[in-house]
Amino acid sequence: MGTVPSALKHCLSYQHLLKEQLWIGEPAAPPPALHPGQEFQISGLPDYVKIVEVGPRDGLQNEKVTVPTDIKIELINRLSKAGLSVIEATSFVSSKWVPQMADHTEVMRRIERHPGVQYPVLTPNLQGFHSAIAAGATEVSVFGAASESFNKMNINCSIEESIEKFEEVTKSARNMNIPVRGYVSCALGCPYEGNIVPAKVAEVSKQLYSMGCYEISLGDTIGVGTPGSMKRMLEAVMKEIPVSALAVHCHDTYGQALANILTAIQMGVGVVDSAVAGLGGCPYAKGATGNVATEDVLYMLNGLGINTGVNLYKVMEAGNFICTALNKKTNSKVAQASFNV
Amino acid sequence: MVEAKRALPWLADSLRPISSTAAGSLPKQVKIVEVGPRDGLQNEKNIVPTQVKISLINMLSETGLSVIEATSFVSPKWVPQMADHTEVLQGIQKFPGISYPVLTPNLKGFQAAVAAGAKEVSIFGAASELFTKKNINCSIEESLQRFGEVMHAAGAASIPVRGYVSCVLGCPYEGKIAPAKVAEVSKKMYSMGCYEISLGDTIGVGTPGSMKEMLSAVMKEVPVGALAVHCHDTYGQALANTLVALQMGVSVVDSSVAGLGGCPYAQGASGNVATEDLVYMLHGLGIHTGVDLQKLMEAGVFICKALNRRTSSKVVQASSRL
């Protein structure tokens, strides 16, 4: 390839192409009716994918810098305006363990609550659940794992003991009509145990689903999964849980997230977790990335003609905001490529 | 690298073939075309000493790769990074069973390449008129005529020619590119005698949707066994796009060690997909590549040190001690 003319940056066609690809300025449209000849529809894929934005919780929790409460609230408010329907706001866990989430009550109380947007919070136990409700939470999440060692190291109990704790939460939640989302960590590999058997993931998922979780988010916690292991794991889990109740939470630590998400979508999964700007590193691999960037997921879904209701440009702006506040470079490749043009 | 071994135990365990299902049946093996030493280095800002280039290629030759694009016989006025093309081609160890193709934009370059010992060459077309005009100052038709001269000479010398088509999923000047246009240019280059056509998402804007559309059009004109994909990761879509190509039967993939080579069209953005990340995915799918990931990672670490830059490979970032 030859030399590049310096006029390139003002190349209107590239801007135009980006606008089309990024769907900049497009209003959030309802899912289009399927008709033959619809240019980008790939058969077998869902028409609509729900994005669960975990940046403010999972993302910030894994960032080294402690973020001021005002910044957290501003981030969530900006995300609320981007068309996202679920934004994980904070975590009602002891501030001794997770200092980043110490301001959970204040965050919960002060964020703008947009109609049609859910703001789930993590509640590791009954105590956290009650605090969350007192602070105004209307949806909660519980975090299980498919690995005994991971559970032991993380929350100092066995899988079975953790299930008992969650049952207390789901029971109280049911009494109060509060929906509960269940997470299963280490679905494709564990930093302590290595390989995780798909049947184990299916077993833990089933337990969480049976106790009343409306959705199970399967997390590739250390990002080691590939389309091969994703497929095998989902096949096992889908024998126990309807696919409509499943979500995938892929980490991009080994660059596999989008390929893994695509595989999951091809198998019928219609809910994807991601974090704006790819916030949150990996506590198990120093310097490595963690969550997949919402912007990059949206770019792929837009290109597949899948509706999400989310405005990619507004998410990019929210990402730009938080990265400036954190004084860090975005992990989103779409943002990296777009903001410099 | 002991750290790396401990961090990647899943590689050995996941080498089970997966059955074909709705997700599409995948090839059992994939040929990787390593473009780091040419496409990668050409798009790096720092000029790399000749000896470093030679060492890189020699290290790559030990990884199990079967095709390593070594250099480009283009005028040093245009591409200073490749000014040492003759020295590189003559200085590298040529392992049996490994091909070291070089770029030859015209007959002059071809003759210089053959004189320097080249046994395989590549020619670069594009699916965009404006891109061709801006890049090599002629129309697509004129470029194909130039290539015709190279094909003729290559045929006479029994030298295989690989054809590249740039901008298959989007052009920095024209914007959208019609799949039919990609099919047309690919067909012409294949008919001229290129044994393989590498379809390049030059600015990385493609997604699995546009990849599928484009391949469907091209596969009507060129047999899938003669197709390769060359995805850029500028928007993070490369592996997903590659996966879709594999699901459609493509079994040759271009990539660059350490993800060398930025994108000249988006300052600070990445370009080529990293070979390490590609191999990680392929091995996880139970697809045979013949490549030793550890050795590949070592080659990547070497060149990044020489370039004084951070690797773009996520697998390497996750595996090394920082």
Side-chain angles (χ1 to χ4, degrees):
Chain A
M1 290 205 266
T3 50
V4 175
S6 57
L8 192 45
K9 283 189 186 163
H10 310 292
C11 173
L12 287 175
S13 288
Y14 191 32
Q15 302 278 6
H16 188 66
L17 178 65
L18 274 190
K19 275 197 154 74
E20 284 181 35
Q21 295 281 15
L22 302 182
W23 289 20
I24 291 170
E26 290 262 328
L34 250 185
H35 61 83
Q38 183 146 17
E39 216 182 321
F40 297 106
Q41 286 287 356
I42 289 190
S43 57
L45 296 177
D47 297 328
Y48 172 80
V49 162
K50 178 176 81 174
I51 303 265
V52 173
E53 171 59 47
V54 301
R57 204 284 305 167
D58 192 357
L60 292 184
Q61 183 169 317
N62 286 298
E63 290 288 335
K64 287 191 220 48
V65 177
T66 300
V67 177
T69 307
D70 283 346
I71 303 279
K72 285 183 183 129
I73 290 166
E74 175 66 24
L75 172 64
I76 294 169
N77 289 345
R78 284 179 185 234
L79 291 168
S80 291
K81 296 181 180 125
L84 289 157
S85 59
V86 186
I87 302 167
E88 198 178 56
T90 185
S91 179
F92 281 78
V93 68
S94 161
S95 50
K96 190 175 60 177
W97 294 118
V98 186
Q100 180 76 278
M101 298 285 130
D103 55 2
H104 41 63
T105 301
E106 202 185 337
V107 167
M108 204 59 215
R109 288 221 175 107
R110 289 180 49 206
I111 51 173
E112 288 166 9
R113 303 286 284 263
H114 288 236
V117 185
Q118 282 297 324
Y119 301 90
V121 300
L122 241 77
T123 53
N125 48 40
L126 199 55
Q127 187 193 2
F129 174 78
H130 288 309
S131 305
I133 298 303
T138 50
E139 181 177 325
V140 301
S141 312
V142 294
F143 255 79
S147 155
E148 289 288 356
S149 313
F150 186 84
N151 244 29
K152 187 92 191 129
M153 298 295 259
N154 233 26
I155 53 177
N156 200 23
C157 65
S158 68
I159 294 182
E160 197 169 329
E161 285 164 339
S162 72
I163 295 287
E164 282 167 18
K165 281 189 200 168
F166 301 149
E167 266 170 337
E168 291 177 352
V169 173
T170 54
K171 197 163 159 220
S172 295
R174 192 163 39 243
N175 289 340
M176 301 177 68
N177 274 331
I178 300 270
V180 182
R181 187 185 209 230
Y183 284 83
V184 180
S185 301
C186 298
L188 298 178
C190 168
Y192 310 103
E193 285 182 15
N195 264 331
I196 293 292
V197 177
K200 188 70 184 176
V201 183
E203 182 194 319
V204 176
S205 304
K206 186 177 181 180
Q207 281 174 316
L208 288 173
Y209 187 65
S210 306
M211 74 169 74
C213 292
Y214 75 92
E215 195 169 86
I216 307 297
S217 173
L218 303 162
D220 182 12
T221 306
I222 43 173
V224 291
T226 61
S229 55
M230 170 64 82
K231 187 168 188 284
R232 280 191 293 274
M233 184 274 294
L234 282 177
E235 278 169 349
V237 175
M238 278 161 62
K239 287 192 183 120
E240 310 289 349
I241 297 177
V243 70
S244 55
L246 291 178
V248 289
H249 183 115
C250 298
H251 277 198
D252 204 38
T253 317
Y254 290 80
Q256 309 295 305
L258 286 189
N260 292 345
I261 290 169
L262 178 63
T263 300
I265 291 176
Q266 286 175 338
M267 291 176 74
V269 172
V271 185
V272 176
D273 299 359
S274 58
V276 60
L279 287 178
C282 180
Y284 306 98
K286 199 174 129 165
T289 57
N291 287 301
V292 67
T294 304
E295 298 93 315
D296 299 359
V297 173
L298 284 173
Y299 188 92
M300 181 174 80
L301 296 178
N302 287 352
L304 281 164
I306 293 174
N307 193 47
T308 61
V310 184
N311 184 318
L312 171 49
Y313 202 70
K314 291 206 168 129
V315 175
M316 279 168 61
E317 284 180 336
N320 198 29
F321 162 77
I322 191 63
C323 287
T324 305
L326 283 169
N327 193 26
K328 66 167 271 182
K329 208 181 166 212
T330 180
N331 282 324
S332 157
K333 287 214 159 170
V334 171
Q336 281 170 29
S338 311
F339 276 127
N340 285 318
V341 172
Chain B
M1 277 294 128
V2 173
E3 289 298 321
K5 271 202 160 80
R6 258 198 302 192
L8 304 169
W10 11 78
L11 286 185
D13 294 337
S14 60
L15 284 175
R16 283 172 284 160
I18 60 170
S19 58
S20 62
T21 63
S25 62
L26 301 169
K28 294 210 168 42
Q29 62 186 43
V30 161
K31 176 177 84 176
I32 295 187
V33 173
E34 171 58 49
V35 301
R38 202 285 306 168
D39 192 358
L41 291 183
Q42 184 170 316
N43 286 295
E44 288 288 329
K45 285 192 226 47
N46 299 331
I47 300 284
V48 176
T50 307
Q51 192 46 57
V52 171
K53 286 184 182 121
I54 289 170
S55 296
L56 172 64
I57 295 170
N58 289 344
M59 284 181 84
L60 291 169
S61 290
E62 308 242 16
T63 63
L65 288 160
S66 61
V67 186
I68 303 167
E69 198 179 59
T71 187
S72 179
F73 281 77
V74 69
S75 161
K77 192 175 58 175
W78 293 115
V79 187
Q81 179 77 277
M82 299 285 129
D84 54 3
H85 40 66
T86 301
E87 217 184 322
V88 167
L89 194 53
Q90 288 178 339
I92 55 174
Q93 277 177 290
K94 302 232 183 68
F95 287 67
I98 301 182
S99 193
Y100 301 92
V102 301
L103 242 80
T104 53
N106 47 40
L107 191 58
K108 187 171 158 210
F110 173 79
Q111 286 160 345
V114 172
K119 297 275 185 291
E120 181 178 327
V121 302
S122 311
I123 55 176
F124 255 80
S128 155
E129 285 291 353
L130 268 178
F131 185 84
T132 305
K133 183 99 191 119
K134 298 276 198 184
N135 236 25
I136 53 178
N137 200 24
C138 65
S139 68
I140 293 181
E141 190 61 43
E142 286 163 338
S143 74
L144 290 175
Q145 276 167 14
R146 277 185 212 172
F147 299 149
E149 294 176 354
V150 174
M151 300 303 311
H152 192 76
S158 287
I159 296 216
V161 182
R162 187 185 209 228
Y164 283 84
V165 181
S166 301
C167 297
V168 300
L169 298 178
C171 169
Y173 307 98
E174 285 187 16
K176 266 200 174 133
I177 294 293
K181 188 70 184 175
V182 182
E184 182 195 322
V185 175
S186 304
K187 183 182 183 177
K188 284 193 177 144
M189 292 179 77
Y190 185 65
S191 309
M192 277 166 45
C194 293
Y195 76 91
E196 196 167 85
I197 306 294
S198 173
L199 303 162
D201 181 13
T202 307
I203 46 173
V205 290
T207 62
S210 55
M211 171 63 83
K212 190 170 197 271
E213 235 191 332
M214 183 275 296
L215 280 177
S216 298
V218 176
M219 278 161 62
K220 288 190 184 124
E221 308 291 349
V222 181
V224 70
L227 291 177
V229 289
H230 183 116
C231 298
H232 277 198
D233 204 38
T234 317
Y235 291 81
Q237 309 294 305
L239 286 188
N241 293 345
T242 300
L243 181 61
V244 163
L246 294 173
Q247 289 173 342
M248 292 178 76
V250 172
S251 62
V252 183
V253 182
D254 300 359
S255 59
S256 175
V257 61
L260 289 180
C263 179
Y265 307 98
Q267 199 194 74
S270 61
N272 286 302
V273 68
T275 308
E276 300 92 317
D277 300 359
L278 171 67
V279 168
Y280 187 91
M281 180 174 83
L282 295 176
H283 287 184
L285 281 163
I287 294 174
H288 184 256
T289 64
V291 176
D292 181 327
L293 181 52
Q294 310 281 24
K295 289 196 172 144
L296 179 63
M297 284 165 61
E298 284 168 11
V301 166
F302 163 77
I303 189 62
C304 286
K305 233 189 200 141
L307 281 167
N308 193 26
R309 62 157 278 179
R310 209 177 166 215
T311 181
S312 291
S313 157
K314 288 212 161 173
V315 170
V316 174
Q317 283 170 25
S319 312
S320 19
R321 266 263 152 101
L322 290 169

